[in-house]
Amino acid sequence: MRLIIPLLCLLLAPYAFAVHTKNAGPEKVELKFKLPPPKPLSPEDELKTFKVEKGFRIELVACEPMIEGPVAMSFDDQGRLYVCEMRGYMRNVEGSTEKEPTGRVSLLEDTDGDGRMDKATAFLDKVVMPRAVMAVNGGALIAVPPNLFFCKDTDGDGKADVKDIVANDYGAFGGQPEHMANTPVWAMDNAIWSASYTTRFKLRGGVWQKDSGLGRGQWGLCQDNFGRLYFNYNSDMLRADLLPTEAFTKNPLLRNASSINAKLAADQTLYASHPTPGVNRGYDAKTLSAVGKLTKPTGTCGALIYRGDAFSAAYRGNAFVPEPCANLVKRFTMSESGGILKATNTAKTTEFLTSTDERFRPVNACDGPDGALYLVDMYRGIIQHQSFLTHYLIANIKDRKLEQPINMGRIWRIVPDAKERLRPVKASKDVKLLAHANGWVRDTTQRLIVESSDASAIPALKEMLQNGNALARVHALWTLDGLSSASPDVLRNALKDTDAQVRVAAVRIATRDLAPDLIAMSAEKDALVLAHLAIKLTTFNLPDADAAVAKMLASNGKNTLICEGALTGLRGKEAAFAKVLAAQLTKDNGAQIMPVIEALGALLAAANKAGPFEEMLHLAATQPAGGPFQVAAIKGLSTSGDPKAKTPPKLLWLDAAPTSLNTLKAAMTDKASAKLFARVEARLAWPGKPGAPPPPVIKPLTEAQTALFEKGKTIYATLCAACHQPHGFGLDGLAPPLVDSEWVLGKPEIAARIVMHGLAGPVKVAGRTYNLAMPPLPQLTDEDVAGVLTYIRREWEHTASAVEPKAITTIRAQNKGRMAMWTEMELKNVGKK
C-alpha cells in the first residue's frame, strides 16, 4: 500500500527536514500550482465531488464519528460490518503516534434496514495499528502486528471476549505499514490466504492449521469465481496467480515463472478529474502530466473482482481498483484465453469513479451481501507513510494544512441508478445458496458449512453437483473437500464434467488413488485442465504419471501454463524426465518439446549440482548432432553462465572429463551455439582440466562424524525440512536456501550461533535479501547441533568440514545467557576484535 498523497501546490521555500533520509528528493522544492488549502468536507459535500459512470449512484453507509481512519472491512453472514480503523496512522508528518493503542475494530449494524449503519460497537478496542479484518467462525480474524488474532463475542454484547493468537508473525510491531501482511481472504480452496504473507491457514474442526504458500501483492487480495487470487503493487494495478500458488512452493527454482504473479494490465493510464501534482515524487517531470495530473499508478491498493449480482452482466467479473493518490477507482474488463487472463482499461478519458476532493482515499473495494460494490474511504490528507516522505511532499503538507483532520473516514456503496433499494441477503448453511448469483453469498455459505464441519450437508452437496449452474457445482465440490467428503466416486464424475472449471477443481482435489483416472485424461483439450493435470501428476512420482505428462507436453509444451505446471513437480528429476520426454520426440512434435527441454536445462543450471548437470549433457550427446534437442539442452544449461551476471556461476566439479563434451562441441558448429556451449564448458571442471583451479579437498568423514551426519539428517527432516525443504532450496517468503549458502559453508561457529539463538532478518543470502526470522532451537543438545550442521555442510554435494560437539560446547559457553536472536551485522563481526 504505497499510498502517496495527491496535493496541489505553489511556490515556496522548502521545509528543513524530510523523514525519508535515504531518498528524500531535492531539498529545494518548487511547488508549481498556487491553490489554497482544501477544506475538509462533510460526507454530504464529498458526495457532490464524485463523478461515477453513467447508470450508477453512490450512497453513504457509515462515516465519522462512527468510524475513523478505516482501512479494511468485512461483512459477517448476518450483514453486520466489521471495520478496521487504523486511527494511529500518520497523525503528523513524524508518524509519532503509531505505537499508541488508539486503533480499534468496530462492529456496525443497520438496525432499521434503511441501508445506513446506525449502531457501532467497539468489537476490539485500544490496539496498535490494526490493519486487517475478516469475518469467520462467528467472530473475526484481526491483524494487530505482529499477531493475527481470532476474536469472538460469546456473551452477545458485541465486544470480543475471546482473543486467541493464530499467528505471531503477521507483520512486525512498529513495522512499515505499507509492507506487512494484510487482507486475509477465505478462498475457494477453503484456505485463508493473505497479501504480502506466505502462510495460509485452514480452519478444521475449530483448529487453525498452517501451511506454506508464496507471498504475493502489497495491499489487498481478492478472488474470482473460480478461486484465482488477484492482488497488486503500488505501481501495478492488477496481478494474479494463474495457477495455484502452493504448487510452486515445491520447486523453489521456478522463481521467475510467469504463471504466478502475472501482470494483467498493459494500459494503466489514469484519468484523474483534477490536478494532483503533490504526489511524493511530484518534483520529477516524469511523474505528472503537463496539467499536473498523475497519469500512472503510484498508490494502488485493495482491488476487487466484482462478483455481485446488482450490476448488469457487462460489469460482472470486472476488476475495480482504487488509486487513492489520484482520488479515483479504475475499472478493467477481464478476458481469458486458454487460462491466460487479460485486464483491459475500459476508460480512455475518464474513470469509473473520480473525485475532486483530494481527501477521498479509497483503499479497499469489497462485494456486499446486497450485491453492491463497497468502498473503504480513509478520508484524510496524509496517507504516505513517514518512512517515504520527501522534502517536496512535506512542504505540500505543511503549506496546505493537510495534517488535520485525522479523525474522519467513510464507507460508500455503489449501486445501479434505480429507484428500488437493494436488499441484503443473510447467508446460512443452506446448500441451495451455493447457486446464488451473488459471489459473496456463495462464498459465505461455503465458509459456514466448512467451518461448522456439518456432515448433514453432504447429501445436499452431492445433489448440487447435478445442478445446471457450473459455479454451483464448483462450490459444491470444494465444500465437500472442506468436509473431507469428496469421495473417489464423486471426483471421478467431476473429472468428466462438461465444464472445464469443474474438471480443474476435481483435478486439484484428487488424491494419489485417482492416479489412473488422471492419467487417462492426458488427451484433455482444455489448456487450464492440462496445466492442473501436469501439476498433480508430477507430484505422484510414478513412471506412468510422468509418461502421461511427457505425452501432454509433446503436444502442448509451448503452452506456458502447461509447461510451468509440469515443472513444479520435477525438482530433482529434471534429467530423468528429459529422458522420458526425449522418447516422445518425433519430427512433428519437436517444436512443442524443445521449450520444455530448455526449461529443464535452465533448472539444472540453477540447481548447481554436477551430477544431474552431467546427466543432461550425456542425454543431449545421444541426440542427433546439431539438432534442436542438443541446442535446446545447451541453451538451458548455459543460462546461469551469463557473463553479464553479477557473480560468476558456481564451478561444477566432475570426476573426469565427460565424453559427451567432445561430441557436443563438434555438433555446435554455428556461432551462437558455440558461444552457448563455451558457457557450459566453462562451468565444468575436473582433475587435469587445463586452466582449472585445484580441485577441492574433500576430507572423508570419520565413523563418528558419519554417525553425527545421520543423526543430523533425522533432526533436519523433523525440525528443519518444513521450511528449508528436503532439497535445501527453502521456500520464498518463509526460509532462505541452504544449498550453497555462505552461512552454511562458512565459519561453523556462525551457523552454530544461528541454530542455538536464532537469526532476525534482514539477512543477505547469495546476494538476495530475506527479511525473515529463524527461531532459536534451544532444545537441541550440543551433539544435536553438531549433527545438524554436519549434515547441511555435507549434503547436497557440499564439501565443508564436519562440526564436532565439543566445538558447540565451547560456543554455547561463550554466549551463555544470551536471549536475543542474532543479527546479520553481529554475526559478521564474530571473531573480530
Side-chain angles (χ1 to χ4, degrees):
M1 187 180 81
R2 192 178 179 187
L3 306 180
I4 304 172
I5 307 172
L7 311 173
L8 307 181
C9 36
L10 50 115
L11 183 64
L12 79 168
Y15 284 83
F17 69 98
V19 179
H20 189 201
T21 55
K22 291 185 178 180
N23 191 14
E27 292 189 19
K28 201 168 186 180
V29 296
E30 181 183 352
L31 306 183
K32 302 175 183 178
F33 292 79
K34 188 173 183 179
L35 290 167
K39 179 184 176 181
L41 301 179
S42 67
E44 293 75 19
D45 287 336
E46 184 189 8
L47 184 61
K48 296 174 184 177
T49 71
F50 292 147
K51 181 180 180 182
V52 67
E53 206 168 297
K54 186 178 180 181
F56 295 91
R57 71 173 186 270
I58 302 178
E59 300 173 345
L60 182 67
V61 177
C63 65
E64 70 281 349
M66 180 177 283
I67 56 172
E68 299 174 6
V71 295
M73 57 173 273
S74 179
F75 283 102
D76 74 0
D77 54 283
Q78 298 305 297
R80 300 182 303 174
L81 183 61
Y82 291 99
V83 178
C84 183
E85 300 169 68
M86 195 185 282
R87 298 197 294 174
Y89 180 78
M90 290 300 291
R91 298 171 78 91
N92 50 50
V93 293
E94 293 84 8
S96 61
T97 64
E98 292 188 353
K99 293 186 179 180
E100 298 176 5
T102 57
R104 71 183 176 199
V105 173
S106 294
L107 182 58
L108 310 186
E109 299 177 64
D110 173 13
T111 61
D112 58 11
D114 66 352
R116 179 90 172 258
M117 299 297 173
D118 49 55
K119 179 182 177 182
T121 306
F123 180 73
L124 184 66
D125 203 359
K126 298 179 181 178
V127 292
V128 179
M129 297 285 282
R131 55 188 292 105
V133 62
M134 187 198 86
V136 65
N137 201 30
L141 286 175
I142 298 175
V144 183
N147 297 314
L148 180 66
F149 295 110
F150 171 67
C151 301
K152 191 171 185 177
D153 164 29
T154 62
D155 58 12
D157 65 355
K159 300 179 180 180
D161 45 64
V162 171
K163 187 180 177 184
D164 297 331
I165 294 178
V166 177
N168 60 8
D169 63 347
Y170 207 83
F173 179 80
Q176 219 299 318
E178 300 177 15
H179 299 285
M180 291 195 292
N182 62 88
T183 321
V185 171
W186 184 298
M188 182 73 77
D189 62 357
N190 300 305
I192 297 171
W193 297 86
S194 301
S196 193
Y197 189 62
T198 58
T199 301
R200 52 184 171 140
F201 304 98
K202 289 188 177 182
L203 180 61
R204 297 293 182 271
V207 178
W208 294 100
Q209 303 173 356
K210 298 181 182 181
D211 202 354
S212 59
L214 292 178
R216 93 260 312 124
Q218 192 166 343
W219 183 271
L221 185 71
C222 65
Q223 66 172 343
D224 65 12
N225 279 336
F226 308 109
R228 287 175 293 206
L229 298 174
Y230 294 73
F231 42 93
N232 47 31
Y233 299 89
N234 54 30
S235 57
D236 195 336
M237 302 195 83
L238 196 63
R239 294 199 175 210
D241 292 330
L242 307 181
L243 295 177
T245 311
E246 65 271 20
F248 289 80
T249 64
K250 300 194 300 291
N251 195 339
L253 300 181
L254 277 173
R255 298 190 189 279
N256 297 316
S258 59
S259 302
I260 54 174
N261 199 25
K263 184 171 183 174
L264 304 185
D267 178 11
Q268 301 188 27
T269 307
L270 303 179
Y271 301 97
S273 59
H274 68 124
T276 58
V279 294
N280 209 27
R281 308 292 169 200
Y283 56 81
D284 187 341
K286 297 178 182 178
T287 301
L288 302 167
S289 71
V291 294
K293 293 184 179 182
L294 187 66
T295 59
K296 295 181 180 179
T298 187
T300 297
C301 53
L304 172 72
I305 300 298
Y306 175 73
R307 301 170 59 223
D309 59 346
F311 294 8
S312 66
Y315 292 85
R316 297 180 190 180
N318 286 190
F320 292 85
V321 189
E323 219 305 352
C325 306
N327 317 117
L328 61 81
V329 176
K330 177 176 284 295
R331 178 169 75 95
F332 291 104
T333 56
M334 303 300 298
S335 57
E336 179 178 352
S337 177
I340 304 296
L341 298 169
K342 180 182 178 181
T344 301
N345 191 351
T346 57
K348 295 304 177 185
T349 59
T350 186
E351 300 287 359
F352 177 74
L353 171 63
T354 62
S355 172
T356 55
D357 183 356
E358 61 191 271
R359 283 185 172 84
F360 171 55
R361 307 295 188 194
V363 294
N364 252 311
C366 305
D367 285 316
D370 55 359
L373 188 157
Y374 286 75
L375 291 175
V376 178
D377 176 6
M378 205 173 179
Y379 202 82
R380 58 182 4 253
I382 304 177
I383 53 173
Q384 172 64 62
H385 192 253
Q386 56 93 2
S387 300
F388 296 101
L389 286 173
T390 61
H391 292 288
Y392 177 85
L393 186 47
I394 290 171
N396 277 279
I397 293 168
K398 295 291 186 179
D399 182 74
R400 305 196 61 236
K401 299 178 176 56
L402 285 157
E403 286 179 281
Q404 298 294 326
I406 42 81
N407 58 347
M408 306 176 83
R410 291 92 194 250
I411 305 292
W412 301 99
R413 173 174 49 231
I414 302 178
V415 298
D417 192 11
K419 292 183 179 181
E420 60 272 12
R421 188 170 58 79
L422 300 175
R423 298 290 179 180
V425 176
K426 290 188 176 182
S428 69
K429 294 188 292 181
D430 183 355
V431 172
K432 293 179 182 177
L433 290 176
L434 295 178
H436 200 280
N438 185 350
W440 179 91
V441 176
R442 296 194 304 273
D443 291 351
T444 307
T445 299
Q446 177 178 327
R447 173 177 63 79
L448 291 172
I449 296 172
V450 172
E451 70 186 15
S452 69
S453 302
D454 189 355
S456 67
I458 293 173
L461 288 168
K462 290 182 177 179
E463 184 178 343
M464 183 61 72
L465 290 173
Q466 309 305 316
N467 191 285
N469 182 339
L471 282 177
R473 300 200 299 276
V474 171
H475 276 281
L477 202 55
W478 279 112
T479 307
L480 284 167
D481 179 61
L483 296 173
S484 300
S485 298
S487 65
D489 286 343
V490 164
L491 290 172
R492 286 190 182 97
N493 288 330
L495 290 172
K496 300 172 185 175
D497 197 279
T498 56
D499 187 88
Q501 289 290 354
V502 178
R503 299 198 299 277
V504 164
V507 171
R508 289 184 64 185
I509 296 169
T511 52
R512 189 183 179 91
D513 57 340
L514 287 175
D517 302 89
L518 297 171
I519 290 171
M521 294 177 67
S522 59
E524 164 76 44
K525 300 300 182 184
D526 186 88
L528 196 57
V529 178
L530 285 171
H532 284 82
L533 276 171
I535 290 171
K536 182 67 68 171
L537 289 173
T538 52
T539 65
F540 292 157
N541 201 25
L542 295 172
D544 288 350
D546 287 347
V549 175
K551 182 179 178 181
M552 285 191 285
L553 292 172
S555 301
N556 301 278
K558 292 174 69 174
N559 185 292
T560 301
L561 294 186
I562 299 172
C563 179
E564 291 184 352
L567 295 176
T568 63
L570 294 176
R571 177 73 194 100
K573 54 181 183 179
E574 296 91 347
F577 186 80
K579 188 174 182 180
V580 175
L581 200 55
Q584 297 277 346
L585 185 60
T586 68
K587 64 179 181 179
D588 298 320
N589 63 17
Q592 297 291 341
I593 288 178
M594 294 317 146
V596 187
I597 295 298
E598 182 179 335
L600 290 168
L603 291 177
L604 288 170
N608 288 330
K609 298 305 163 193
F613 196 99
E614 186 177 13
E615 285 182 48
M616 190 67 153
L617 287 174
H618 284 311
L619 175 62
T622 66
Q623 301 302 306
F629 192 104
Q630 289 189 342
V631 173
I634 293 300
K635 187 175 181 181
L637 291 173
S638 71
T639 301
S640 59
D642 188 349
K644 295 182 180 180
K646 293 182 180 179
T647 57
K650 178 185 175 182
L651 197 61
L652 305 180
W653 278 92
L654 308 177
D655 294 333
T659 57
S660 57
L661 277 187
N662 288 334
T663 302
L664 292 169
K665 187 173 185 178
M668 301 292 107
T669 54
D670 65 277
K671 186 176 181 180
S673 298
K675 186 176 182 179
L676 294 175
F677 178 81
R679 291 183 188 172
V680 173
E681 189 176 29
R683 290 207 62 186
L684 301 175
W686 54 86
K689 180 183 179 181
V697 177
I698 304 174
K699 187 177 180 180
L701 297 179
T702 65
E703 184 176 346
Q705 290 169 341
T706 300
L708 269 179
F709 176 93
E710 293 300 327
K711 183 173 188 177
K713 182 177 183 179
T714 300
I715 295 172
Y716 181 87
T718 304
L719 292 179
C720 314
C723 294
H724 291 288
Q725 296 293 290
H727 47 57
F729 281 95
L731 282 175
D732 271 358
L734 184 62
L738 301 179
V739 175
D740 299 327
S741 166
E742 62 270 37
W743 297 94
V744 172
L745 303 179
K747 297 177 181 179
E749 58 264 33
I750 290 179
R753 284 171 166 81
I754 294 173
V755 173
M756 287 189 288
H757 302 112
L759 172 62
V763 59
K764 187 169 286 187
V765 182
R768 185 178 180 188
T769 299
Y770 294 81
N771 195 8
L772 306 167
M774 158 75 182
L777 299 172
Q779 72 273 32
L780 296 184
T781 67
D782 293 350
E783 187 175 283
D784 292 340
V785 175
V788 169
L789 294 181
T790 297
Y791 173 72
I792 64 175
R793 287 165 64 85
R794 294 302 286 257
E795 182 67 345
W796 311 306
E797 295 187 12
H798 290 168
T799 60
S801 62
V803 180
E804 301 296 338
K806 62 182 181 182
I808 303 301
T809 303
T810 300
I811 296 168
R812 194 185 295 275
Q814 292 171 349
N815 298 277
K816 185 178 180 180
R818 183 181 179 93
M819 301 298 293
M821 292 191 290
W822 293 93
T823 65
E824 180 179 37
M825 186 59 67
E826 287 179 314
L827 290 172
K828 286 184 175 180
N829 289 327
V830 168
K832 295 181 180 180
K833 294 183 179 181

